Structures are given as C-alpha cells and as structure tokens.
Amino acid sequence: MIRKFCLWATPIVIIFILFALYYLYTIQGELKLPDKGWSRTLHKPIDSTERTLYTYSDKQGTELYTIDGEAIIHSTLNKHLKVTQQHTHSFKGDLMRLYWAEGDTYVFKKNLNLYYFNGQKELLIDKGVEDASYKEGTVYYSQGNMLKKVDLKTLKSEKVRQFPNDIRTLTIDKSYGALLLTTLKNKSDVSFYLSSLEGKTPQFKKFATTSIVSGDISQASYQVNDHHFYLFYMLSAIHDGIAFSPYYEELALDHINKEEVVAFKNKPISFQGWPNINTNEIYFKMMHNQPTVLLSAEGNRNLRDTALNVYEAHPGSDGSWILERRSTSTEASIHPFWINNQTIGWLDLKSEDHYQLGLASQDPEIIKASQKLNNEDMKNALSEATVSVPRIFILILISLLFASPALMIYGVIAFTRIELLERNSPIVKWIIGLVFVAMMYGFSCFVMKPSFYYYAPDYLTFPLGVIVWPTIITVVSWLVTRQFKTTEWTLLHEVSYFCLLYLIIANFLFGPYYI
C-alpha cells in the first residue's frame, strides 16, 4: 500500500519541488536592486493624488508637501528618511499645483486661480493664472501674455511686462535667482527670455528661439554652473497622440547677455537603448557637475513584467543619454525628484488614483534594510510563478508531439508483433525507450532557444546544458522507475511510467522559462 502511494506521490512531489524552485527564483528577482549602489523602493506613509509635490530641505530634514484630493499634507523626513511629523490643511475645490510652501504657508493653484494660505486663512491672489514661480516673498505669475508679480506681505499685484505672445512657462532657479520665461506664437515659434530679479523692474533678454509644428512647450528649466548656462526644455506635438520631446542646450553664460539670439536646432535627447520613450515626466538638475535628468518610463521590472518606473540619466561619451533604473515599483512611479545627492523620491501608485511616497537611497544601511523579504515580495513572486502555469501547459502539448514517434512504434508493434509485448520483450522496451529519449534531446533543442537563455537561470543555461539536462532527466527517471518497478509490471507499465516522469520533470523544469 505504501509502495503504491509513493509510486503516484512521487510525480506530485517532483511538480511541487520544481514549482518551488521557480518560486524561489522569482523571489530572487524581487529582491534584486534596481542598480548597483541603490536600494530597492522604500515606501513612506505620505499620501498623494496624481499632483506634483513641493519639497525643500532645512535643519530638521526634508519638508514635503503633497496634494491629497482637497487637502495639502505637510510631512517631514529626517536624515534617516523617517517621517517625524505630519499635518494636513483642507481646502474646498480642485487643488491643481503647489508653487511654494514654507511651514504652514502655501502658494497654490485651485480651480485655475492663484491662492495664498498664510497658515490661517485662504486668500485669493488672482484669477485665470497659467504658471507661477516664487522668490524671496514675491510670486511671479502669468495671465496670457502678461507677467505679473505679487508681494505676499501686502498681496498687492502689479504688472511687470506684457510680451508679444502667450507666456507658457516660468522658472526661477534658487541658486542663480534669475527668471526664465518662455512664450509661444501660433503653436510653432518658441522664445526664451531671461531676467535678473535684483532691481525693481526686471529687464528681460530674449536669448534663444526654437520652432515646432503645431505644438507647445510644456516645461523649461535651467541651472548655472562654472560660467555655463544649462537649459532643459520639453516640446510637445500631436502626431497620432501627443508626442513629447526633451531637449538640452549648453551656452556660455556670457552669451546670454549679448544681443545675438541663438536659434536652437531642435535635436532631441536620445536615450541609449530606449528609442521610443514618450513622457512629459522628465526633470532636470546638475548633479556632481554633470547634467542629469529624472524621468518616469515604461520598462522591465523583472525579466517578464513591465511597470512605469523611475530612471536617472546623464550624457554618455557618444552623446546619447544613459538610463539607470532607480525604482522597483510594480505599477507606476511618477513625479520623481531629488531629496539630496544620494536619495531620490517619487509618487508610487498605491490604488486607483492614489499614491504614496517612494524612495531610493545610496546609504549602505538603507540598501541592506531594503533587501529584507516582505509580504509584498512574496505576493509578487507568487503571482509571477502562477503566470508560468499556462506556459508549462503549452510546453506539455508540444512535448507530447515529440513523444509521439515512440507511441507510434508501440502501436506498430502492437498490431504486427503482439507476442513481443506479451512476453515483455526487453528489445522492444529498449527500442521504444531509446526513440523516446532521442526525441527528448530534440525537444530540449527546441525549448532552449535564445529567449530561453534570456529568461532561465544560469544553472539551466550553461554550455552543453542542452545535452546535459536531458541526460540527467533520463537517468533520474530511469532510477525512480527501477525503484518502484515490480514483477507484476508489464512493458507498457514500465515504459509509460518512465515517460511520464521524464515529461513531468522536463516540462516543469523548462516550462516557466519557455516563450
């Protein structure tokens, strides 16, 4: 009775072991770092909807302001990336963007209007505002082609300058302090202006132009470093949907003050190995004296699964930008930003239209802590392992085709020389067995295609593995069959059990990595 139970339990145990082996392999994939020297994603209890957040650093750590529906959440992260304090202010209306925040005071856009919250009261600055930027108690904002400013102490607005065309973006770099302004004419001609904000009246200098066909400029930012002006901007155009193109230009700072206006040639940034990136989620900064961007892009989360993850990119020696993954998100990561030189943050999709703060760091202790196995890792690994089941069943059907010649030989002998089967002729057993094994070598060659070598672990893809593994499976199947064989078994029993064991081992060993 026990022998009979073990006879049929063995195939089930083999299936369980091989499936568990693949499950452990998927767990290894989940624990893999996004890039050398960076931690896996750490989640913090800071909630947000799909809105751009605002952040700055002070003595307490990093102050983060997120928009969660009709509320602004102010959170503080200490140097160990732990949330030390958090409080919320609620507002009625559609909170669209935060332009500036400090303590419990905010400048934000709500229902297309610009507001100032002084910690106690919500005050309207102006209506129909398109973009805004803050410097030292003054907010500069645009309405059509008019640039205005408001002093937050008095809330008195005044006109600064009227431009020939509609203002599209306003940006003030905190370290340099000048205002970068762009305008758009007839959805085709873009102009770049720069002005110092030191005097009472800004003196804007038009220093560059570019053009686009039926498009727009969605963002423009700059930084100044070592007497050079680094400009990053995004153009969009409608071609079977909205196509976003990022551009980067480097100018001598002295050139900005000259009368000459540069016409940019509009050669977009190309990302090495990523020819089809189309996203407006790209943010620019000078890091370690090198131009760098953060972006959200669809890419491989593991060997089979894809997700919208955060990448950091910088120019390579050939002029293309090299992408390095920073997040290990399973769904979508948006609005990436730098917290400091070794920490990056973003908003990570938690549920429908609801996000939480995600972080990645170069701190060795944080990297070590991030590699601890958690419930989410086990859940994702199990999901990935379960998805492999249809691939295994497809491979089972294919393997039966490869096994069919041995079955055909058995049928021919059964119709022509039935007495050989009745005598359990060892010659017949070896003929059928050798044909089956030979076909299984062909089956292994069929399975181990380039895609298999891409997905499968090293222990399956070593040199001559296409010969070694069928040999190992043959020996194991023969030994197990020999162990359970009794004098009551016929030739059909023995050959069938051997073939069954071989097919189970081969399909559940190779199947998860097939296709």
Side-chain angles (χ1 to χ4, degrees):
M1 186 68 181
I2 296 176
R3 188 182 185 88
K4 190 174 182 179
F5 172 79
C6 293
L7 175 70
W8 297 111
T10 298
I12 297 173
V13 171
I14 291 174
I15 291 173
F16 176 81
I17 291 173
L18 294 177
F19 189 81
L21 193 66
Y22 180 63
Y23 179 57
L24 291 175
Y25 180 66
T26 58
I27 286 178
Q28 284 184 331
E30 292 296 326
L31 296 178
K32 189 177 180 181
L33 299 177
D35 196 44
K36 185 178 179 180
W38 283 88
S39 72
R40 293 201 302 148
T41 296
L42 303 171
H43 289 121
K44 300 297 175 181
I46 299 176
D47 296 329
S48 177
T49 45
E50 192 177 352
R51 300 294 190 191
T52 305
L53 49 78
Y54 183 86
T55 178
Y56 67 91
S57 297
D58 57 18
K59 294 180 180 180
Q60 294 182 353
T62 301
E63 308 296 331
L64 294 120
Y65 298 82
T66 57
I67 297 175
D68 188 13
E70 295 186 340
I72 294 177
I73 302 175
H74 175 199
S75 309
T76 302
L77 285 177
N78 64 15
K79 295 180 180 179
H80 302 290
L81 303 182
K82 294 182 178 180
V83 179
T84 57
Q85 58 179 345
Q86 189 175 85
H87 53 273
T88 302
H89 285 108
S90 298
F91 303 89
K92 292 183 178 179
D94 181 17
L95 296 177
M96 302 176 68
R97 184 175 174 183
L98 267 167
Y99 290 107
W100 171 82
E102 185 176 312
D104 291 332
T105 57
Y106 324 124
V107 173
F108 57 93
K109 183 193 286 191
K110 186 184 73 171
N111 301 330
L112 300 177
N113 302 324
L114 193 64
Y115 289 87
Y116 171 57
F117 181 72
N118 62 7
Q120 297 178 341
K121 189 177 180 181
E122 178 183 339
L123 304 168
L124 176 66
I125 294 176
D126 213 331
K127 296 182 178 181
V129 173
E130 295 180 10
D131 200 6
S133 196
Y134 171 90
K135 183 184 179 182
E136 297 176 354
T138 301
V139 177
Y140 295 83
Y141 63 96
S142 60
Q143 291 176 316
N145 64 348
M146 179 63 69
L147 176 66
K148 295 182 177 181
K149 68 177 182 179
V150 58
D151 187 334
L152 294 182
K153 292 181 179 179
T154 63
L155 284 188
K156 290 183 178 180
S157 297
E158 60 179 277
K159 296 179 180 179
V160 177
R161 176 178 168 176
Q162 187 172 13
F163 288 82
N165 303 295
D166 286 345
I167 300 170
R168 303 306 299 150
T169 67
L170 298 173
T171 307
I172 300 174
D173 177 62
K174 292 181 180 179
S175 58
Y176 190 65
L179 174 60
L180 172 68
L181 181 149
T182 64
T183 63
L184 180 67
K185 178 183 179 181
N186 299 328
K187 296 184 178 180
S188 60
D189 299 319
V190 179
S191 298
F192 297 85
Y193 297 83
L194 190 71
S195 174
S196 169
L197 300 176
E198 297 300 324
K200 290 185 178 181
T201 304
Q203 300 297 319
F204 284 92
K205 165 71 171 58
K206 181 178 178 180
F207 67 92
T209 61
T210 191
S211 60
I212 189 173
V213 178
S214 299
D216 196 1
I217 178 166
S218 57
Q219 65 162 295
S221 59
Y222 75 96
Q223 285 206 300
V224 175
N225 184 55
D226 194 23
H227 304 290
H228 282 76
F229 185 86
Y230 300 91
L231 175 66
F232 174 84
Y233 60 97
M234 289 277 293
L235 300 180
S236 62
I238 300 177
H239 300 293
D240 297 327
I242 301 178
F244 295 96
S245 301
Y247 298 87
Y248 165 75
E249 301 287 347
E250 180 181 343
L251 301 171
L253 189 58
D254 294 340
H255 178 84
I256 303 295
N257 299 320
K258 293 181 179 179
E259 293 299 322
E260 180 184 358
V261 177
V262 178
F264 294 143
K265 296 180 180 180
N266 269 11
K267 184 179 180 181
I269 291 175
S270 63
F271 296 101
Q272 193 176 99
W274 296 67
N276 301 317
I277 284 183
N278 181 30
T279 177
N280 63 340
E281 286 276 323
I282 304 182
Y283 304 92
F284 171 76
K285 189 176 182 180
M286 292 295 294
M287 296 290 291
H288 308 293
N289 296 322
Q290 185 179 37
T292 307
V293 295
L294 282 179
L295 66 149
S296 294
E298 184 82 17
N300 287 342
R301 189 184 71 84
N302 52 37
L303 291 178
R304 290 189 180 274
D305 193 15
T306 61
L308 189 66
N309 268 294
V310 171
Y311 295 82
E312 191 173 30
H314 53 80
S317 57
D318 61 351
S320 63
W321 290 54
I322 302 170
L323 285 171
E324 298 173 348
R325 189 156 67 106
R326 294 291 176 257
S327 70
T328 54
S329 305
T330 58
E331 295 291 343
S333 300
I334 62 172
H335 303 326
F337 62 96
W338 287 275
I339 290 179
N340 52 48
N341 288 339
Q342 65 172 9
T343 307
I344 291 171
W346 60 86
L347 296 180
D348 219 358
L349 186 63
K350 188 177 180 181
S351 60
E352 185 178 358
D353 196 34
H354 199 78
Y355 295 77
Q356 62 182 331
L357 183 69
L359 300 171
S361 175
Q362 290 180 293
D363 187 312
E365 292 185 4
I366 294 177
I367 293 175
K368 184 178 179 180
S370 74
Q371 290 187 286
K372 292 180 179 179
L373 185 66
N374 56 49
N375 292 335
E376 191 67 22
D377 297 327
M378 297 176 69
K379 178 183 175 183
N380 292 334
L382 182 60
S383 176
E384 177 66 21
T386 304
V387 171
S388 71
V389 174
R391 296 195 293 270
I392 294 173
F393 278 111
I394 291 173
L395 199 60
I396 288 173
L397 295 176
I398 295 173
S399 67
L400 291 176
L401 292 177
F402 277 87
S404 60
L407 180 62
M408 292 172 64
I409 291 174
Y410 179 86
V412 170
I413 294 174
F415 279 103
T416 59
R417 299 291 299 274
I418 187 65
E419 67 274 9
L420 295 176
L421 298 179
E422 291 174 345
R423 295 200 307 263
N424 292 325
S425 171
I427 295 176
V428 173
K429 179 177 69 175
W430 281 103
I431 289 174
I432 295 174
L434 288 174
V435 170
F436 174 81
V437 171
M439 292 305 298
M440 288 300 102
Y441 276 95
F443 173 67
S444 297
C445 293
F446 173 82
V447 170
M448 293 186 178
K449 299 180 291 187
S451 59
F452 180 85
Y453 282 85
Y454 175 75
Y455 292 119
D458 294 340
Y459 64 81
L460 290 179
T461 57
F462 56 85
L464 298 180
V466 69
I467 296 175
V468 173
W469 274 109
T471 304
I472 293 174
I473 298 172
T474 299
V475 172
V476 171
S477 300
W478 177 75
L479 290 175
V480 174
T481 303
R482 186 181 178 186
Q483 178 68 29
F484 290 119
K485 184 180 72 169
T486 66
T487 56
E488 298 176 355
W489 280 28
T490 65
L491 182 148
L492 180 61
H493 284 114
E494 188 175 351
V495 172
S496 298
Y497 193 75
F498 169 80
C499 294
L500 174 66
L501 286 177
Y502 190 106
L503 292 176
I504 287 175
I505 296 173
N507 283 296
F508 280 86
L509 184 64
F510 300 149
Y513 315 104
Y514 178 67
I515 302 177

